Amino acid sequence: MKKSGFFYRAFDLYYEGFKNMTLGKTLWTVIIIKLLIMFCFLKPFLFPNHIKQNAAKGQEDKFVATEMLERDGNGK
């Protein structure tokens, strides 16, 4: 790889930047752990796939249309 090329210099910039971080490494670790918790553990419990659970396969669009038309302002 040519060491004076743009991509090498861009990679080297980020590589050296992350390598020399002190507080930043800890903060990135916290951010990654929070994202893993949010997407791996909380998403299935807080955002269930309502359409997949209640609509027949291939009839999802009709289920959504029916739900939207039949729902009133009280939540159902």
Side-chain angles (χ1 to χ4, degrees):
M1 180 180 238
K2 204 163 102 178
K3 291 188 176 190
S4 62
F6 170 75
F7 292 110
Y8 180 79
R9 286 187 293 135
F11 171 77
D12 193 47
L13 172 77
Y14 286 104
Y15 181 76
E16 290 297 322
F18 282 111
K19 196 167 88 175
N20 294 325
M21 273 196 242
T22 54
L23 180 62
K25 285 182 184 176
T26 305
L27 294 176
W28 275 107
T29 304
V30 170
I31 290 169
I32 290 171
I33 290 171
K34 285 176 72 176
L35 288 174
L36 282 173
I37 289 171
M38 285 172 40
F39 287 107
C40 294
F41 299 111
L42 295 180
K43 185 185 177 295
F45 298 112
L46 298 178
F47 303 105
N49 194 343
H50 182 70
I51 295 173
K52 187 176 181 180
Q53 292 173 351
N54 296 319
K57 190 168 181 114
Q59 302 294 320
E60 292 89 357
D61 55 343
K62 291 179 183 172
F63 175 75
V64 171
T66 304
E67 287 289 315
M68 291 177 73
L69 292 173
E70 292 181 355
R71 248 184 217 197
D72 60 3
N74 297 329
K76 181 68 184 171

